[in-house]
Amino acid sequence: MIKLFAVFSMFLFSFTGYAQKDSSNPGINTSEVNKIWKESKSRFPLKRGFYKSYEEYLNNAPSEQRAFTLKDKTKSQERKDKDICAVDYNLDEGQEKLGKVWGFCDGNAVYIKVSPLEGKYWKISHIGPYSFFVHVYQVRTLAGIIAAGAMGTREFSIINSHGKMIYATTNYMKKILGKCPGLAEAYSAEADMKDEEVKKAYLRRANEYFALNPEALD
């Protein structure tokens, strides 16, 4: 079923101009795409609140409204990485407790919980049919306890069009880009397909295509 990506459509035309200009060459100028994305982020309002489902996130429609403040949960060794941001929330006094939520928005950014065992949410770097973010994976024992002395592994992950988190491997990148004319071939021709900035630029370009052609997601 074709889904409407309401939050994405509000900044779509910034990307459309670039796509038309570059239609003769499917290759991507990484710095230009990233610049366009940063400029377009200020053009759409995110609604503050808690998402009970992935569908609420897609449609920028959090159904649970509570007054809350953010609590920084980023570890000191993680702060050196500009793409890592971990938080939790504190409900204001008198606010009704929340049940299980998919994620939440503070009006400026969206945060998602990777594991139910974690007491933190990770900031999504890019919102679209294939959102992506950076997080830290902690090795745990069978009892759910973090292994002693474990620093964790930095992971670059994608939220696919069904709301499932997938590691952004080169093979999965090709699977996504294969739905977009010319992008998989252009990505395969990159000097370093494992480069994270290259992956980000191609995912942003793919999201632009899917917003214009949502039927390609099925």
Side-chain angles (χ1 to χ4, degrees):
M1 182 176 68
I2 297 174
K3 295 183 178 181
L4 299 177
F5 297 96
V7 70
F8 199 58
S9 63
M10 297 188 72
F11 60 87
L12 175 61
F13 293 105
S14 294
F15 282 88
T16 304
Y18 172 70
Q20 292 172 344
K21 178 181 70 176
D22 194 45
S23 60
S24 63
N25 178 12
I28 288 181
N29 182 322
T30 302
S31 60
E32 183 171 355
V33 173
N34 290 347
K35 178 176 180 292
I36 293 172
W37 163 249
K38 288 177 181 177
E39 291 174 350
S40 67
K41 284 178 70 177
S42 63
R43 300 183 187 178
F44 68 100
L46 287 169
K47 294 181 181 178
R48 184 182 175 94
F50 294 84
Y51 311 108
K52 296 186 71 174
S53 69
Y54 172 64
E55 286 70 27
E56 289 185 2
Y57 160 70
L58 284 182
N59 292 292
N60 193 24
S63 61
E64 296 286 348
Q65 303 297 324
R66 300 285 193 282
F68 67 93
T69 56
L70 286 182
K71 178 168 60 176
D72 188 2
K73 300 280 283 188
T74 311
K75 294 182 178 179
S76 57
Q77 66 267 28
E78 297 168 352
R79 296 183 190 281
K80 299 176 183 178
D81 190 325
K82 62 180 177 59
D83 291 320
I84 293 179
C85 179
V87 304
D88 198 1
Y89 62 86
N90 287 325
L91 295 179
D92 289 1
E93 187 175 353
Q95 293 292 301
E96 182 181 353
K97 289 185 177 180
L98 283 164
K100 184 179 180 180
V101 296
W102 185 87
F104 71 95
C105 174
D106 65 354
N108 297 307
V110 173
Y111 304 90
I112 179 176
K113 180 173 284 189
V114 173
S115 168
L117 298 176
E118 286 187 315
K120 64 180 68 176
Y121 294 76
W122 301 92
K123 182 179 178 179
I124 293 179
S125 304
H126 173 86
I127 296 172
Y130 285 93
S131 300
F132 57 78
F133 65 107
V134 175
H135 60 103
V136 176
Y137 172 75
Q138 294 282 0
V139 178
R140 296 175 182 270
T141 66
L142 292 177
I145 301 171
I146 297 175
M151 295 294 291
T153 304
R154 184 186 189 280
E155 300 289 354
F156 176 54
S157 296
I158 298 167
I159 303 170
N160 70 13
S161 57
H162 299 288
K164 184 178 180 181
M165 190 199 77
I166 307 288
Y167 292 136
T169 63
T170 53
N171 285 337
Y172 192 62
M173 287 289 301
K174 290 178 182 179
K175 182 177 180 180
I176 295 172
L177 300 175
K179 302 176 183 181
C180 311
L183 282 188
E185 294 81 2
Y187 175 66
S188 296
E190 291 286 346
D192 187 0
M193 291 188 291
K194 294 182 179 180
D195 183 89
E196 194 171 292
E197 292 306 311
V198 171
K199 289 181 179 181
K200 289 177 182 177
Y202 275 87
L203 285 170
R204 286 167 181 153
R205 184 68 179 274
N207 278 333
E208 172 229 342
Y209 176 81
F210 291 131
L212 287 170
N213 303 276
E215 68 281 358
L217 286 164
D218 295 339

